[in-house]
C-alpha cells in the first residue's frame, strides 16, 4: 500500500492564544513533501476555556487519541515538566520543554527552542560581536535564548524580567552551566545598555495583542544587533525602530522554523529539509 494511504501521523501544539501559529502548517507541509500523511492540531487553552492546570488531562487525551507528540508553548513550557517521564539533557538543564514525544506509553520532554535560536542567529547575524548582550525576558523562551547565545560564545549577559526573581533564577542557572561567562540579573536597563553589543528580546511584547516596545527606543544605538523571538508579526515595532536607528536585526522567523525542524525530526524520526521549511515559512508570512 502506498505510504500516503496509511494511517496519518498526528501531533499538536498546546498553548494559550495560539490561533495564529504557523507551526501546524510547517509540519504538515513538510510531511506532505516527504510523501506521508501528517495531521497537526492546535490545542488552544484560551479557545477551550482552560488553564495550565488542565495539562494532565490534555496529555492523557493526546496519548489516548494516538498523537505521536506535542509542542508546548506559552505559558506551559515549564509547567508541563512534572507530568513527563523523562527529559533530554538540554530540557533538564533549561528547566523548559517545548517538545514532548509520546512513545511506548512514555512522555519524553525535549527543548528545540534553544537550537532553533542558535541556528537562526548563526545564519542571520554571522560575525556578530558576542562580547556582551542584554536579554529582556527570563521565561521559558528566555531560558532557551540565553542558553543558545552563551553556547555560541557570548562573554557577558545581563538579564531583565518584570519578575526580578525569575531573572535571578535564570542568571544562577546559566552561571552554573557556563562558568566562564559573566551572567547577572539587573533592574537598571539604562546602565546595562551602555556597554553591550546586542539585545535579545524574549517576551511577547510586539505581538498583535501585546503592542509596544520592550525598552526605550533611545537606548538603541547603531552598533547594536537586535535579535527578536516574536514572529507574528515578523516585523515587530522593536525591529522597525532598531532598523531606523541603524542596528543589525534578526527577526523571530528563523527560531520558529528551526525549532520546528528539530521537533519534526523528533516526532517523525525523519530528517526534515530545513531549506524547504524556511521557504514555506517565508511563503506563509508574505
Amino acid at each position: 500500500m502506498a505510504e500516503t494511504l496509511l494511517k496519518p501521523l498526528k501531533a499538536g501544539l498546546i498553548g494559550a492564544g495560539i490561533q495564529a501559529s504557523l507551526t501546524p502548517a510547517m509540519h504538515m507541509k513538510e510531511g506532505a513533501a516527504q510523501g506521508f500523511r501528517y495531521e497537526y492540531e492546535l490545542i488552544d487553552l484560551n479557545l477551550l476555556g482552560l488553564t495550565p492546570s488542565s495539562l494532565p488531562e490534555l496529555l492523557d487525551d493526546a496519548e489516548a487519541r494516538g498523537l505521536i507528540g506535542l509542542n508546548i508553548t506559552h505559558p506551559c513550557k515549564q509547567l508541563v515538566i512534572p507530568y513527563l517521564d523523562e527529559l533530554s539533557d538540554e530540557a533538564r538543564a533549561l528547566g523548559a520543554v517545548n517538545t514532548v514525544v509520546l512513545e511506548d506509553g512514555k512522555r519524553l520532554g525535549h527543548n528545540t527552542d534553544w537550537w532553533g535560536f542558535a541556528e537562526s542567529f548563526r545564519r542571520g547575524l554571522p560575525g556578530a560581536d558576542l562580547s556582551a548582550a542584554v536579554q529582556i525576558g527570563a521565561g521559558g523562551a528566555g531560558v532557551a535564548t540565553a542558553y543558545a547565545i552563551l553556547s555560541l560564545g557570548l562573554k557577558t549577559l545581563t538579564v531583565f524580567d518584570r519578575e526580578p526573581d525569575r531573572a535571578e533564577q535564570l542568571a544562577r542557572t546559566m552561571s552554573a552551566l557556563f562558568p566562564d561567562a559573566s551572567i547577572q540579573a539587573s533592574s537598571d536597563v539604562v546602565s546595562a545598555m551602555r556597554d553591550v553589543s546586542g539585545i535579545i528580546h524574549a517576551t511577547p511584547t510586539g505581538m498583535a495583542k501585546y503592542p509596544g516596545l520592550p525598552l526605550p527606543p533611545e537606548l538603541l544605538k547603531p552598533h547594536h544587533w537586535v535579535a527578536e523571538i516574536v514572529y507574528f508579526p515578523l516585523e515587530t515595532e522593536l525591529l522597525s525602530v532598531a532598523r531606523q536607528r541603524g542596528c543589525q536585526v534578526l527577526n523571530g522567523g528563523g527560531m520558529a522554523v528551526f525549532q520546528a525542524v528539530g521537533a519534526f525530526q523528533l516526532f517523525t524520526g525523519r530528517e526534515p529539509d530545513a531549506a524547504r521549511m524556511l521557504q514555506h515559512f517565508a511563503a506563509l508570512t508574505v
Side-chain angles (χ1 to χ4, degrees):
M1 182 183 291
E3 190 170 7
T4 53
L5 297 179
L6 296 177
K7 184 178 178 181
L9 299 179
K10 298 179 182 179
L13 171 66
I14 295 177
I18 54 175
Q19 291 306 302
S21 174
L22 300 182
T23 297
M26 284 193 286
H27 276 258
M28 290 190 290
K29 184 79 169 182
E30 181 59 19
Q34 294 202 21
F36 65 93
R37 295 170 62 201
Y38 187 14
E39 297 175 359
Y40 190 110
E41 65 185 70
L42 293 177
I43 304 169
D44 191 330
L45 299 180
N46 290 357
L47 210 62
L48 296 170
L50 301 176
T51 69
S53 65
S54 297
L55 278 169
E57 291 79 16
L58 292 175
L59 289 164
D60 288 346
D61 179 66
E63 287 176 319
R65 293 190 293 114
L67 271 65
I68 57 173
L70 292 162
N71 280 128
I72 309 294
T73 192
H74 177 79
C76 301
K77 291 181 181 183
Q78 292 156 320
L79 298 174
V80 74
I81 289 176
Y83 311 114
L84 306 180
D85 297 302
E86 297 178 22
L87 297 178
S88 69
D89 291 343
E90 292 87 357
R92 185 178 298 105
L94 297 176
V97 164
N98 80 312
T99 301
V100 177
V101 176
L102 303 174
E103 186 176 58
D104 299 328
K106 289 194 171 183
R107 302 165 179 175
L108 314 175
H110 300 264
N111 189 300
T112 66
D113 279 335
W114 81 267
W115 179 80
F117 183 81
E119 188 66 11
S120 176
F121 192 97
R122 187 182 67 79
R123 294 183 182 215
L125 290 173
D129 181 353
L130 293 179
S131 56
V134 157
Q135 176 170 297
I136 300 170
V143 173
T145 55
Y147 186 90
I149 201 67
L150 289 161
S151 296
L152 291 173
L154 184 72
K155 303 293 189 297
T156 300
L157 179 65
T158 304
V159 183
F160 295 85
D161 194 272
R162 64 183 180 182
E163 298 179 28
D165 289 348
R166 195 158 65 169
E168 292 281 0
Q169 179 59 52
L170 176 56
R172 285 194 296 270
T173 298
M174 292 301 140
S175 293
L177 295 171
F178 299 92
D180 294 335
S182 174
I183 307 159
Q184 58 276 322
S186 176
S187 59
D188 186 357
V189 70
V190 175
S191 295
M193 287 289 290
R194 290 188 187 127
D195 300 312
V196 300
S197 50
I199 302 97
I200 299 168
H201 175 232
T203 84
T205 302
M207 294 175 66
K209 61 181 180 179
Y210 302 109
L213 289 168
L215 78 172
E218 61 271 17
L219 297 181
L220 298 170
K221 306 299 181 187
H223 69 275
H224 289 141
W225 50 260
V226 179
E228 173 72 274
I229 69 160
V230 173
Y231 74 87
F232 200 83
L234 207 52
E235 180 77 358
T236 61
E237 187 174 348
L238 173 62
L239 294 187
S240 178
V241 169
R243 284 184 206 277
Q244 292 168 16
R245 298 183 72 86
C247 305
Q248 282 187 291
V249 302
L250 178 71
N251 66 44
M255 181 181 182
V257 174
F258 286 110
Q259 66 79 23
V261 166
F264 183 97
Q265 186 170 27
L266 287 167
F267 288 162
T268 68
R270 299 165 181 260
E271 185 72 35
D273 185 326
R276 184 165 58 205
M277 291 182 74
L278 281 166
Q279 290 173 351
H280 183 226
F281 180 85
L284 290 169
T285 54
V286 169

